Protein backbone atom coordinates (compact mmCIF):
# COMPACT_ATOMS: atom_id res chain seq x y z
CA UNK A 1 0.00 0.00 0.00
CA UNK A 2 1.20 3.52 -0.63
CA UNK A 3 2.54 5.64 2.22
CA UNK A 4 -0.36 8.03 1.86
CA UNK A 5 -2.89 5.34 2.80
CA UNK A 6 -3.09 7.07 6.18
CA UNK A 7 -5.03 9.80 4.41
CA UNK A 8 -7.87 7.38 3.72
CA UNK A 9 -9.54 8.16 7.07
CA UNK A 10 -13.02 7.75 5.54
CA UNK A 11 -12.29 4.28 4.15
CA UNK A 12 -15.12 1.90 5.06
CA UNK A 13 -14.17 -1.28 3.21
CA UNK A 14 -10.98 -2.71 1.80
CA UNK A 15 -10.43 -6.01 0.04
CA UNK A 16 -6.82 -7.13 -0.19
CA UNK A 17 -7.68 -10.78 -0.83
CA UNK A 18 -5.52 -12.70 -3.29
CA UNK A 19 -2.82 -10.02 -3.37
CA UNK A 20 0.86 -10.29 -2.49
CA UNK A 21 0.72 -7.87 0.44
CA UNK A 22 2.82 -9.00 3.40
CA UNK A 23 1.90 -6.38 6.02
CA UNK A 24 0.02 -3.14 6.57
CA UNK A 25 1.74 0.17 7.25
CA UNK A 26 1.17 1.70 10.69
CA UNK A 27 -0.70 4.50 8.89
CA UNK A 28 -3.58 2.03 8.40
CA UNK A 29 -4.49 2.69 12.04
CA UNK A 30 -6.07 5.94 10.82
CA UNK A 31 -8.85 3.99 9.06
CA UNK A 32 -11.18 4.67 11.99
CA UNK A 33 -14.33 4.30 9.89
CA UNK A 34 -13.28 0.92 8.47
CA UNK A 35 -16.17 -1.53 8.73
CA UNK A 36 -15.03 -4.42 6.53
CA UNK A 37 -11.53 -5.82 6.03
CA UNK A 38 -10.97 -8.75 3.65
CA UNK A 39 -7.63 -10.52 3.48
CA UNK A 40 -8.38 -14.02 2.26
CA UNK A 41 -5.84 -16.24 0.50
CA UNK A 42 -2.77 -14.07 1.16
CA UNK A 43 -0.12 -16.51 2.34
CA UNK A 44 2.55 -13.77 2.39
CA UNK A 45 0.68 -11.80 5.06
CA UNK A 46 2.38 -12.81 8.30
CA UNK A 47 1.95 -9.91 10.71
CA UNK A 48 -0.96 -7.75 11.80
CA UNK A 49 0.00 -4.96 14.17
CA UNK A 50 -2.07 -4.48 17.30
CA UNK A 51 -1.54 -0.74 16.92
CA UNK A 52 -3.20 -0.82 13.51
CA UNK A 53 -6.11 -2.97 14.65
CA UNK A 54 -6.71 -0.78 17.71
CA UNK A 55 -7.62 2.09 15.38
CA UNK A 56 -10.41 0.11 13.71
CA UNK A 57 -13.09 0.57 16.38
CA UNK A 58 -15.90 0.50 13.78
CA UNK A 59 -14.84 -2.85 12.29
CA UNK A 60 -17.71 -5.31 11.85
CA UNK A 61 -16.31 -7.79 9.30
CA UNK A 62 -12.83 -9.32 9.49
CA UNK A 63 -12.09 -12.00 6.88
CA UNK A 64 -8.57 -13.34 7.24
CA UNK A 65 -8.78 -16.90 5.98
CA UNK A 66 -5.75 -18.70 4.53
CA UNK A 67 -3.11 -16.14 5.47
CA UNK A 68 0.33 -16.57 6.96
CA UNK A 69 -0.83 -15.18 10.32
CA UNK A 70 0.15 -17.42 13.22
CA UNK A 71 -1.92 -15.43 15.70
CA UNK A 72 -4.07 -12.33 16.00
CA UNK A 73 -3.01 -9.33 18.05
CA UNK A 74 -4.65 -8.94 21.46
CA UNK A 75 -6.22 -5.69 20.23
CA UNK A 76 -8.73 -7.74 18.24
CA UNK A 77 -10.52 -8.52 21.50
CA UNK A 78 -11.32 -4.80 21.84
CA UNK A 79 -13.25 -4.75 18.55
CA UNK A 80 -16.70 -5.02 20.08
CA UNK A 81 -18.64 -4.71 16.80
CA UNK A 82 -17.18 -7.86 15.20
Amino acid sequence: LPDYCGQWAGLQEINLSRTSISSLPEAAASWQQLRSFYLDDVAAFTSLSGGVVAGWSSLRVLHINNTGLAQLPAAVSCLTNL
Side-chain angles (χ1 to χ4, degrees), residues 16-22 39-47 65-70:
L16 298 171
S17 296
R18 296 174 189 91
T19 64
S20 59
I21 192 167
S22 60
L39 188 72
D40 296 318
D41 303 316
V42 184
F45 196 89
T46 58
S47 177
N65 299 307
N66 300 317
T67 66
L69 287 172

Side-chain angles (χ1 to χ4, degrees), residues 23-34:
S23 64
L24 291 174
E26 290 297 318
S30 68
W31 302 344
Q32 295 176 350
Q33 294 181 32
L34 189 66

